[in-house]
Structures are given as structure tokens and as C-alpha cells.
Amino acid sequence: MRENKTLQILDAAHAGGYAVPGMCCYNMESIIATVRAAEAAQSPAMILLFPWAIEYGGSVLVKAAAEAARTATVPISVHLDHAQTPEMVKRAADIPNGFDSIMCDMSHYEKEENLRLTKELVTYCHERGIAAEAEPGRIEGGEDGVSATTDLGPLLTSPEEARTFVETGIEMLAPAFGNVHGNYGPRGIQLEYDRLEAINREVGKEVRLVLHGADPFTEEIFQKCIKAGVTKININKGMNNHYERIQNEMKGKPLTQVIEAGTEAMQKGIEEYMRMMGSASRAQK
């Protein structure tokens, strides 16, 4: 796994004290925007796809993302986020020269079944040179392209639970510490930094910590999470809302102009995240 691109990117972030943005991409525009932002900012990056991309287009978008990452002038990897069934994990892992890493998200199962399935799927991924992420506990909410687990409710991650998941062989761990997929609602952002710090003390030297539900976070929140061990931060609406805005503003204009303007708007948004996370100027191809 030493040659795995995702692990190289995140290990460098861990050593350098910064985080890398994982951009949730739904189309070619967002993939291109991520690559252009990374090259302009001289930042490493990760292109994140959801299972929806495979359900919708088979391996087409995966291969396009992999080609964009491979030909970039800065380190970029391709990651499948929230693969929520064993069948999807295996289908994704079997795409030749596709994903560098896969989130084996079995968090909608009870703890013991989550552990059992995660261990099985991590082995499957490793046999194909693919790094694996898992979610101990359960992060509240849902997002476009992912089956919602809102009805199941959140389960916060403990350091002890994190330890049991590290033993499955994962390289990335996504803790639940008050973070929410999607809208934080009336209560606002209420993160348990003490919990995150305790998890980092327990397993942070062995796995890379991943932050989900970070779209509305400020630079101050990002930096607190990075200091507590986070090296990968997933961003969805913080990029894609720029594209939606351009589509609304340019309704009726030639499609190519809308696509180009939308890509540029997303790129600028991504570059700002790279600045806030400290990954700008950290690229080491």
C-alpha cells in the first residue's frame, strides 16, 4: 500500500499539519474544477464520487476522474465516498485503474455487523491495492447521492470504538463527534472537540482521520479539527452550490458558457478551501 496515492497524499498532510480537501463531484465540471484549483493553488486534492456515479453511468465518470487525476501536475487521488453495500464496494473495487480508496460505509448496520462487514471489505480492497475508510458510530444526516440514515439517528464515536475499527485494517477513519451531513439546523454547529482529540490520541498515529459534514465550517473550525488530527475534509455544497448559482444566473445563455462559468466559480471556491485548510502550496508531485 506504500504506492497508494490517497495514502501518500494524506500521510504528507499528517506530517505537514494541514488537511486535504475531498471534493464531492457529480459531473465533469466539478472534476475539472478540482484539478484546475489544485494546480492553480499547488495543492494536493482528492476527487470524491458517490455510488450514484456508478449507478448512473457505470465506470464512465470513474475513469474520467482517474484520467484527470493521473494527468494532473499535482497529487490528486480518486475516492469513492459512502459505499453503503458490500456489493457496491466490490463493484467499485473491481473497476480497473479506477479508485485509489473507498469508504466502506456500513454504519447503518449494528456495531458488530458493521465491524464484520468492514473487515471483509477492507480485505477485498487491499487485495486490489485500494485503501479503505470506515465510519465507527454514525454521522447524522444525509447528502445528495447517498442513502440517508437520518431515521437511524447519530451514534457518536468513542476512542474505544475507533480502536476496534482500526483493527479491521482500515487506513482512514471518519469519526462522529457532532458533525452532520447536510444542514445543521437550528442548533447550529456543536462539535465535541474533546472527543475528536481523544480519538486522535488513541488511533491518530495509525490511521488518518476524516471530517465529514464540513460545508458550513469556518477557517477557525477547520484549523481546530486539523490540530486534533484531521487530514481529509470532505466538501460538497461548498463547491456545488457555486455551480447551481451560475446555472440560475445564466439561465438561457449558451450551454458552453454556463459550463465554463460554472467550472470557474467552483474552482475559485475550491481554492479558498485549500487556503483555509493549509494545503495550498503543499503539492509534491
Side-chain angles (χ1 to χ4, degrees):
M1 301 297 289
R2 290 181 180 178
E3 300 302 314
N4 182 275
K5 181 64 72 66
T6 290
L7 297 184
Q8 290 177 344
I9 289 171
L10 296 184
D11 285 347
H14 183 258
Y18 60 91
V20 174
M23 308 309 302
C24 298
C25 298
Y26 295 92
N27 51 28
M28 279 304 303
E29 294 94 307
S30 49
I31 291 170
I32 291 170
T34 298
V35 173
R36 288 180 179 176
E39 292 182 332
Q42 283 297 290
S43 169
M46 294 178 63
I47 296 170
L48 272 54
L49 301 177
F50 289 127
W52 171 85
I54 297 173
E55 293 164 352
Y56 172 73
S59 64
V60 173
L61 201 59
V62 179
K63 291 181 177 179
E67 174 69 6
R70 185 185 67 80
T71 57
T73 59
V74 294
I76 300 177
S77 68
V78 182
H79 175 86
L80 180 64
D81 205 30
H82 292 291
Q84 294 173 302
T85 66
E87 293 76 19
M88 177 53 72
V89 172
K90 292 177 182 179
R91 180 180 176 184
D94 287 339
I95 296 174
N97 302 312
F99 292 103
D100 298 292
S101 50
I102 293 175
M103 182 183 187
C104 305
D105 181 8
M106 303 294 114
S107 64
H108 46 292
Y109 291 97
E110 295 300 323
K111 178 182 175 181
E112 292 307 316
E113 185 68 356
N114 185 353
L115 272 169
R116 185 188 70 79
L117 288 172
T118 298
K119 185 173 183 179
E120 172 190 317
L121 295 169
V122 167
T123 299
Y124 195 90
C125 288
H126 285 177
E127 289 171 348
R128 289 153 181 79
I130 297 169
E133 176 184 340
E135 183 178 316
R138 186 182 302 121
I139 299 170
E140 187 177 358
E143 53 191 324
D144 194 10
V146 181
S147 298
T149 58
T150 306
D151 293 343
L152 298 177
L155 294 173
L156 298 182
T157 306
S158 68
E160 295 76 19
E161 188 175 20
R163 168 56 57 193
T164 62
F165 272 81
V166 168
E167 291 171 359
T168 66
I170 59 170
E171 289 84 15
M172 293 164 282
L173 184 143
F177 61 104
N179 43 329
V180 174
H181 286 126
N183 195 335
Y184 275 78
R187 74 180 185 186
I189 300 168
Q190 297 182 20
L191 302 180
E192 297 187 19
Y193 294 107
D194 290 347
R195 181 182 295 273
L196 178 60
E197 290 166 357
I199 292 168
N200 186 42
R201 286 194 297 271
E202 178 67 31
V203 301
K205 292 182 180 180
E206 300 161 69
V207 295
R208 303 286 77 89
L209 300 185
V210 179
L211 174 59
H212 288 245
D215 281 316
F217 289 3
T218 62
E219 183 173 357
E220 179 183 6
I221 296 175
F222 284 138
Q223 288 302 317
K224 283 184 178 179
C225 292
I226 291 168
K227 288 178 181 177
V230 166
T231 57
K232 171 176 171 268
I233 301 178
N234 294 2
I235 299 295
N236 190 328
K237 290 182 179 180
M239 170 183 67
N240 290 299
N241 280 356
H242 290 293
Y243 193 53
E244 185 177 358
R245 171 178 57 79
I246 292 296
Q247 287 179 312
N248 291 330
E249 292 175 357
M250 297 183 64
K251 188 174 182 180
K253 296 289 181 68
L255 183 58
T256 52
Q257 293 181 19
V258 177
I259 289 172
E260 290 171 1
T263 302
E264 183 179 357
M266 286 190 288
Q267 177 183 339
K268 290 179 180 177
I270 299 166
E271 288 183 45
E272 177 61 12
Y273 278 115
M274 291 170 170
R275 184 195 66 78
M276 290 193 289
M277 295 177 195
S279 66
S281 302
R282 298 286 194 140
Q284 300 175 358
K285 186 64 174 176

